[in-house]
Amino acid sequence: MTKIPSRRPRGAALRALCALFASAGAIAPSSATAAEVEVLHYWTSGGEAKSIAELKKTLATKGVNWKDFAVAGGAGENAATALKARVISGGAPTAAQVKGPAIQEWGAEGVLANIDAVARAEKWDSLLPPAVAAVMKYKGSYVAAPVNVHRVNWLWVNPAVLKKAGAKAPATLAEFFDAADKIKAAGMVALAHGGQPWQDATVFESVALGVGGAEFYKKALVQLDPATLAGPTMVKTFDTLARIKTYIDRDAAGRDWNLATAMVINGKAGMQFMGDWAKGEFTAAGKKPGTDFLCLPAPGTAAAYTFNIDSMLMFKKSRADDQKSQLVLASAIMSPAFQEAFNLNKGSIPVRSGVPSAKFDSCALQSMKDMEASGKAASFVPSMAHNMAVGSAAQGAIMDVISRFMNSSMSSKDAAAALAKAAKTK
């Protein structure tokens, strides 16, 4: 990342702002101020757009106008490029959808706002799981507000397709291949997929978790242990992936993830590996879990949970009014009402405690239960494919290897060796 000059807020303004939040607890700005936040994000699909609309509504009730800067692209590559350009030019937005190790990378550039004032006033440390709070901080201070928790290792299934093919919902990899064979034989697409690097990596990490388990996953895709990356379990992972890719249709190249989800919704395909943001598409289409679609842990991964946490990273602003509006935004994101409304639309689950669960469906309740269980079992692991596990350079190199494997006849042994080499990228 290119080094960017730091611009620090005036101490008096910051101290006054901290005093305001610590003492008054009143987050809304003065009605006389034309308060505004410019937010760079990549929530652009149907379910995602409904979710972001909830945040706009919440801010409007607090007297803050939302200036939208939406950049399409499922995994945020385009948004990351746009954000870098804005910050380098000296025109950083109020906030941007950024997550995982990238938060620390931006922190090192000296361009982030400290939002401890609102975090302390609202006791975020007691509301968030410690692992989540740590991701939202840079050098001990909050710089980002977490929006939700996504489970990545889901398999989405159309039960009508299963019935037509005479197949059953799979819990293991062996059952997955049996179901896929039957769906394919019945003349339908067994696995809906979009041939984009981040989607390839999403399938790969769920397969790695299913083949090797949580400890293998952590050693390989979080710790980047060379021996594990090049070892026999990784070779087996690629062997499994090689078989899986035979069930993907020839038109998958470049397909957006939500279009692949639509294939499952419309009965053109039977299954899809995708995080629980896919549920937002089913919900937006009026489909009901357990009846119109099934949400299952990816085969072999029921005891583990790969997480992806969306967050809004706050950038330094020189004007006191902008700083105030920024804290309004952070407070709104963490409010129970917004966490409930946003996650009901998005398909994810609330990141903070104290949010009622009565309105959440069976998929979300299962996600909540599995997140708690995996946390206790040390199988709550960050998603490599979704920017939570490793730095951007290593992640990019790893994803390049996975995509090459998905689009060539590369052997599993060669792929594992290439993966170990790629992980050394700094």
Side-chain angles (χ1 to χ4, degrees):
M1 186 175 291
T2 304
K3 186 67 179 175
I4 304 165
S6 173
R7 292 185 296 170
R8 300 182 182 278
R10 295 176 180 174
L14 185 58
R15 286 193 297 272
L17 190 61
C18 290
L20 168 67
F21 281 89
S23 62
I27 304 299
S30 168
S31 59
T33 302
E36 181 178 80
V37 290
E38 182 187 21
V39 183
L40 189 157
H41 66 92
Y42 48 96
W43 284 311
T44 56
S45 74
E48 292 172 332
K50 286 182 66 178
S51 299
I52 208 69
E54 295 296 337
L55 187 49
K56 294 177 185 178
K57 290 179 188 176
T58 301
L59 287 172
T61 65
K62 297 176 180 293
V64 177
N65 181 56
W66 173 285
K67 184 178 180 181
D68 202 55
F69 187 178
V71 182
E77 298 97 334
N78 296 338
T81 300
L83 176 61
K84 185 174 181 179
R86 284 287 301 272
V87 177
I88 289 174
S89 69
T94 311
Q97 186 184 354
V98 177
K99 56 191 177 182
I103 293 175
Q104 304 306 308
E105 293 174 0
W106 278 114
E109 300 295 344
V111 296
L112 300 184
N114 182 319
I115 56 171
D116 278 341
V118 67
R120 285 195 300 267
E122 298 181 353
K123 299 180 172 58
W124 286 13
D125 278 345
S126 65
L127 297 175
L128 296 172
V132 175
V135 174
M136 299 300 118
K137 295 178 181 180
Y138 177 69
K139 291 187 176 181
S141 292
Y142 280 98
V143 293
V147 179
N148 56 4
V149 177
H150 279 295
R151 186 182 195 176
V152 179
N153 59 314
W154 282 115
L155 182 72
W156 303 92
V157 179
N158 185 317
V161 171
L162 289 184
K163 184 176 181 180
K164 185 176 179 180
K168 69 174 185 177
T172 66
L173 283 164
E175 291 174 354
F176 170 84
F177 288 125
D178 179 71
D181 284 335
K182 290 177 178 176
I183 294 169
K184 190 174 181 179
M188 295 172 284
V189 176
L191 186 64
H193 183 64
Q196 297 172 339
W198 74 270
Q199 294 191 62
D200 292 340
T202 297
V203 177
F204 166 81
E205 71 175 22
S206 285
V207 173
L209 187 62
V211 169
E215 286 307 309
F216 164 76
Y217 180 99
K218 284 186 279 189
K219 285 183 179 179
L221 300 180
V222 180
Q223 299 166 14
L224 302 180
D225 177 66
T228 304
L229 286 166
T233 304
M234 186 58 73
V235 173
K236 184 178 179 182
T237 295
F238 278 110
D239 283 341
T240 305
L241 188 63
R243 186 175 176 187
I244 285 175
K245 71 180 183 179
T246 64
Y247 298 103
I248 298 170
D249 67 294
R250 294 181 180 179
D251 297 327
R255 178 186 289 143
D256 288 336
W257 70 269
N258 52 311
L259 298 182
T261 304
M263 293 171 65
V264 181
I265 292 172
N266 298 327
K268 294 180 179 179
M271 300 178 285
Q272 180 190 22
F273 286 93
M274 189 52 61
D276 56 16
W277 49 92
K279 192 185 70 175
E281 300 301 299
F282 284 97
T283 302
K287 305 299 182 181
K288 298 184 180 300
T291 303
D292 302 311
F293 68 95
L294 306 177
C295 48
L296 309 173
T301 73
Y305 194 114
T306 45
F307 68 84
N308 174 21
I309 301 171
D310 286 314
S311 55
M312 282 295 177
L313 184 61
M314 307 297 175
F315 287 84
K316 285 181 179 177
K317 307 300 289 185
S318 59
R319 294 178 63 246
D321 286 342
D322 289 338
Q323 295 170 9
K324 187 187 298 184
S325 295
Q326 199 165 51
L327 294 186
V328 174
L329 173 62
S331 177
I333 287 170
M334 278 287 285
S335 68
F338 169 72
Q339 288 270 323
E340 179 185 59
F342 182 93
N343 288 290
L344 285 170
N345 283 321
K346 187 73 161 58
S348 46
I349 60 175
V351 67
R352 56 157 290 170
S353 61
V355 179
S357 61
K359 294 181 181 179
F360 287 89
D361 62 28
S362 57
C363 295
L365 295 176
Q366 185 65 48
S367 185
M368 293 175 191
K369 178 182 176 182
D370 290 349
M371 183 174 78
E372 182 178 4
S374 65
K376 293 177 180 177
S379 57
F380 185 64
V381 295
S383 168
M384 180 281 298
H386 294 274
N387 314 97
M388 298 302 302
V390 298
S392 57
Q395 183 210 34
I398 289 169
M399 288 172 65
D400 284 345
V401 173
I402 296 166
S403 287
R404 273 193 285 139
F405 182 81
M406 290 291 285
N407 294 285
S408 73
S409 57
M410 178 188 281
S411 72
S412 296
K413 187 174 181 180
D414 286 348
L419 205 65
K421 184 178 179 179
K424 296 178 182 179
T425 303
K426 300 297 183 184

